[in-house]
Every structure is written in structure tokens, then in C-alpha cells.
Amino acid sequence: MRYAVVILAAGQGTRLKSDLPKVLHRLAGRPLIEYALEAARAVSSEAPVVVVGHGAEAVRAAIGDRGRCVLQAEQLGTAHAVRQAEAELRGQCEAVLVIYGDMPLLRADTLHALAETQALNSTGPLTLATAEAPKLKDFGRVVRDGAGEVRAVVEAAQATPEERALTEMNVGAYCFDAEWLWAALPQLPLSPKGEYYLTGVVALAVRGGGRVAAVRLDDPAEALGVNTRAQLAEAEARLRERINAHWMAEGVSLVDPATTYIEPTVQIGADTCIWPNTHLQGRTSIGSACLIGPNTIVRDSIIGQRCRIESSVLEGAQLAEEVSIGPFAHLRPGARLERGVHMGNFGEVKDSVLGPGTKMGHFSYIGNATIGAQVNIGAGTITCNYDGVKKNPTVIEDGAFIGSDTMLVAPVTIGQGAKTGAGAVVVDDLPAHSLAVGVPAKVIRKLGKEGA
Ligand code: UD1
Ligand code: CA
């Protein structure tokens, strides 16, 4: 059977009280629409049809070529929204899965279950997902008859007190026989609120003698719809639980899962331990047996095995194995720390390489620098890389010893095994194995191979 997926994303999200279209609000760092696109991708290799309307240009830009966008110029309800996909899909598929763009916790497995159940529903034109979720008070209620068959979905606003008391909710995910759907949509009535409700198809199918099948979800969190800021926070908490449970099952220790924030795009190796208030974001990958946190942000960075990062911020950085960082270090884009580097408190590194075993213990700024192996960077060392117009490079060769409070006025090269005295301001290149002191720094002698 050929399946197509339709994602409804035209609504404003009035209850969020925001200038941003609802589906662009972020959950665990990604816009809500990403989650729907991902679920759709798991059931159909063809790009889903996304119905856009409110903030259409911004939503289209976020979707790119991952969805075929169709415009719903006026938001006249969920049934009206699905009709906008007809021209794109009519005759192209036998079954249509419809999901809403504001249900980020819906699993791809649920879409598979809907498709499979509908394939077996020989007497009926649709299958819908339901969940036992008494707390979701603004959801449509699933009405069943004495035999347990689904008869209708009634929106909360239109429900009688008896219907409001029902606790089986309409999740907002459906699988339809395609031809039946296109014929049914124009028959739906206008609601008292002036909208065409997709949920009306259930009663329509029943009136036509068809059986409406239902897939009951075990996990009501999957049904969470984001209509309000409170529901956005709730969805964030549930997604966090899901992600954290996954990593713990993969052998990662989380000292306090409630204060560990791992975005869905992150990878973590086994035997890594994450301390509280740690945020792992974007395209970050953490090796095995690392200690990360507490109070650490790692964004778009690659961390090797057995690294230790405490109370620090890393963005766009790369660490080889056994690097130790912090507390209070800041790595910025282009920072690359080779095996065994130690970077202590109050250091900043950007666009620079620190070679294997190099130590930078305290209060230093390293920018646009290439630093070799086993270099000692004394407390307070600064690469003066910016001359007011452009950034200039600093090179420090293997085994050099930079004295405390040295200013390296770039462009400048410190030769292999060279040393600078405390407080030196280095404006000219230093030859290998030389000692320079003063302001501006002058070479005062050659050093032996042991650096003495
Ligand atoms: C909808 C369901 C309700 C279900 C709930 C689950 C209907 C009528 N009601 O209610 O039974 O329990 O979801 O979360 O379907 N949209 C459009 N165009 C429109 C209107 C809405 O694209 O004209 C989109 C919205 O952007 C949103 C989705 O459809 O992504 C659902 O709309 P929303 O207004 O959030 O419906 P609910 O009131 O939550
Ligand atoms: Ca909703």
C-alpha cells in the first residue's frame, strides 16, 4: 500500500500568545515541526505534505525540501486544512496518515501501528489513535457504544457533561482510506465556532456503516499537544525523561536526570557520567568514560574518551582523549585540544590547536594560535591576536615554556623549547631554545637541551 503523510501546521497557536508560529517554538532545542517531519520520515520515504498558513514563509523556510508545503490561506479548521493537501495527493496514494504539527512526542511506531490497523480494517475507512489521559482536558473525547465500538469524537467545547467526563482522548493521529477521505471532507458541517473539524469524520464514517478502528497508546505522554506554554514545558519534561531513559539504558550514568538536558541530536558513549545541571546540545558527541559537569554546557562539540569537563562552556570545540577542562573554562568555535591537554580555570580558547600534553592552568586567552606538544602556558598568558583590523596568528612550538603574564603580540612565533620570563611582552619571533625577558622582550641567552 502507498502511504502519504499530511502534517497540519497552519494554526497560529493563539493560546501561546506569541509572534512566532506555533510549530517553530522550540522543544529540546529544535522547532516542534522537526519532530513531526521525523515521525513522517519513518513511515514514508516520500516527503510529507505540510499544510502551512500562519507565518507560512518562516515555516516553509524551516521545512526546506523535507516537506511539500501547501498553503491554507485562512485557518478554517483541521478538516479544511487536510483538504488543502488533496490536489497534491489525489490518486497518488491509497492511504493517508494525518498528524498535527503540535504533537512532538508522537512515536513513529504509533504511525506504523495506525497504518497496520487500518490495513486490516476491511469494513471501515479510518483508524485513529486514542489515549487514556484524563488530564488532557481540552482534548476531543472518544465516544464508544455499549459494544465498545468508536461512535464519535466530540470536541471538549461541544461536549455534554457526560461526554466531558470521558477519559479516552483523541490523540490527533489518523490513518484514512485516501479516496474515502477526499469524498468525506466536503461533507463535514461547520462547527458553532466557525471551523470544519476533522474529528467529524468519525461520526460520518459510522453513519455510513463503516467501522472506525482505534489504536490505544500505552504512554499518554505521546498524546501531549502543545497549545500553551505550560504544555510546552510539560512536553519538554516528558521528552527529557524519554531521552535520559534512553542514555541510561545505553550505559550512561546521570547523577540527577531531572537536571540533565540532552538534546535529541546528541551522542554519548557508555560509562560516561553526567553531573547535574549539564546541557548537551546540537551536534555534540561525547566519548565513553568521560566525566561531564556539574554546571556545564557543551554545544556542537566533539569530545573524545576519558575526558573530564567541570563547570565549563564549550561551543564548536574538539577534544581528543583524556583532556581535562575547568572549572570555568570557555572553548569557542575552532578550539582543538589534543590528547592529554589540561586547561584549568578561567581560560578561553578559540580557533586554536593545543598539542598533546600541553598545559594551560590559569587565566589565559588563546586565539588564532597553533601550539605544539608539551607546551607550558603560564598563568595569565594572552595571545594579542587582534590589531584592530584583523586577527593575526601565533605559533608556539613543541616544549616551549611561556612565563606567567606573557603577552604574545601576533603575528609571532615562539621556537621549540624557547622560554619567556614573567611579564614578557613578545613582539618579535623567538628562536628555538632561547630565553627572552622584558618589555619588549629581548633574548638574553641560549638554553641547553634541558631548557636550563
Ligand atoms: C485537536 C483535535 C482534538 C484532539 C487534539 C489533540 C480537531 C477539531 N480537534 O484539537 O480532537 O484531541 O487536537 O491534540 O481536530 N491547524 C491547521 N489549520 C487550521 C486549524 C488547525 O493547520 O485551520 C493545525 C494546527 O496548526 C495544529 C493542528 O492543526 O497543529 C491542531 O489544531 P489545534 O487548534 O491545536 O487543535 P486542538 O484544539 O488541539
Ligand atoms: Ca493542539
Side-chain angles (χ1 to χ4, degrees):
M1 187 139 15
R2 283 187 66 196
Y3 293 93
V5 181
V6 176
I7 300 172
L8 304 191
Q12 177 177 11
T14 321
R15 288 164 278 179
L16 286 170
K17 300 192 174 149
S18 173
D19 288 339
L20 196 66
K22 186 205 278 199
V23 294
L24 297 187
H25 278 258
R26 284 176 183 267
L27 187 76
R30 310 157 86 195
L32 290 177
I33 190 72
E34 295 279 333
Y35 296 88
L37 290 170
E38 202 169 283
R41 214 171 17 244
V43 285
S44 171
S45 57
E46 289 191 21
V49 175
V50 187
V51 182
V52 299
H54 187 81
E57 282 324 300
V59 177
R60 263 184 222 273
I63 292 168
D65 59 5
R66 294 172 300 165
R68 294 175 272 168
C69 291
V70 296
L71 185 71
Q72 184 192 24
E74 250 189 305
Q75 282 75 63
L76 297 177
T78 45
H80 180 259
V82 176
R83 280 190 82 176
Q84 312 310 307
E86 182 180 344
E88 187 72 33
L89 291 178
R90 188 145 212 174
Q92 304 294 308
C93 57
E94 286 97 59
V96 179
L97 286 145
V98 175
I99 57 178
Y100 300 158
D102 66 351
M103 323 170 29
L105 281 89
L106 190 75
R107 287 191 166 90
D109 284 353
T110 298
L111 296 186
H112 284 295
L114 283 170
E116 282 160 22
T117 306
Q118 179 52 27
L120 299 172
N121 184 13
S122 52
T123 63
L126 81 123
T127 299
L128 78 168
T130 76
E132 202 55 46
K135 284 205 289 193
L136 301 175
K137 297 203 186 312
D138 56 354
F139 272 45
R141 305 301 199 268
V142 177
V143 181
R144 292 183 184 254
D145 63 17
E149 293 294 325
V150 174
R151 306 300 298 180
V153 169
V154 182
E155 290 308 301
Q158 269 90 59
T160 63
E162 294 75 44
E163 287 165 343
R164 279 188 74 84
L166 295 171
T167 54
E168 186 183 9
M169 304 301 181
N170 173 36
V171 169
Y174 319 79
C175 185
F176 295 98
D177 175 86
E179 286 313 309
W180 183 87
L181 177 66
W182 307 132
L185 289 174
Q187 301 175 41
L188 293 173
L190 202 60
S191 80
K193 281 198 166 174
E195 290 191 16
Y196 296 96
Y197 288 155
L198 181 60
T199 42
V201 292
V202 175
L204 195 69
V206 170
R207 275 208 302 282
R211 175 166 183 270
V212 175
V215 171
R216 267 192 218 243
L217 305 187
D218 295 331
D219 175 11
E222 254 192 274
L224 267 178
V226 175
N227 301 318
T228 63
R229 304 264 177 175
Q231 286 167 339
L232 186 61
E234 171 82 12
E236 179 96 29
R238 298 287 86 77
L239 181 61
R240 184 155 66 235
E241 281 170 9
R242 199 187 271 183
I243 293 171
N244 288 350
H246 166 80
W247 287 117
M248 288 190 281
E250 294 292 312
V252 176
S253 287
L254 307 185
V255 174
D256 180 18
T259 59
T260 304
Y261 308 84
I262 304 170
E263 291 184 356
T265 40
V266 170
Q267 296 296 320
I268 312 173
D271 280 327
T272 281
C273 177
I274 301 182
W275 287 81
N277 199 22
T278 291
H279 303 249
L280 305 179
Q281 304 175 334
R283 312 239 150 253
T284 286
S285 144
I286 310 257
S288 53
C290 293
L291 290 172
I292 313 285
N295 305 323
T296 290
I297 301 172
V298 184
R299 185 177 302 138
D300 299 324
S301 296
I302 297 170
I303 314 287
Q305 299 177 10
R306 297 180 298 283
C307 290
R308 172 83 187 92
I309 304 172
E310 186 174 356
S311 298
S312 293
V313 177
L314 284 69
E315 315 164 76
Q318 261 187 61
L319 274 52
E321 308 82 355
E322 290 164 17
V323 171
S324 81
I325 290 184
F328 316 118
H330 188 188
L331 293 187
R332 294 172 45 212
R336 200 175 95 217
L337 277 49
E338 303 286 6
R339 187 189 186 100
V341 164
H342 168 68
M343 177 177 170
N345 42 206
F346 305 106
E348 173 179 340
V349 175
K350 75 114 201 175
D351 240 327
S352 297
V353 181
L354 275 61
T358 285
K359 309 258 179 296
M360 150 175 180
H362 339 261
F363 310 105
S364 287
Y365 169 61
I366 300 296
N368 305 88
T370 307
I371 300 179
Q374 304 294 340
V375 170
N376 188 83
I377 298 171
T381 295
I382 305 281
T383 53
C384 309
N385 59 330
Y386 186 50
D387 58 15
V389 180
K390 62 182 190 311
K391 303 287 169 64
N392 297 299
T394 299
V395 175
I396 305 178
E397 294 179 353
D398 294 349
F401 183 101
I402 310 299
S404 294
D405 231 349
T406 295
M407 300 294 127
L408 300 161
V409 183
V412 71
T413 295
I414 309 295
Q416 191 177 342
K419 278 189 174 179
T420 67
V425 175
V426 184
V427 294
D428 296 317
D429 294 353
L430 292 192
H433 306 292
S434 61
L435 169 65
V437 298
V439 181
K442 294 219 160 36
V443 175
I444 55 167
R445 64 185 158 89
K446 288 292 277 178
L447 298 167
K449 276 275 168 306
E450 278 68 54

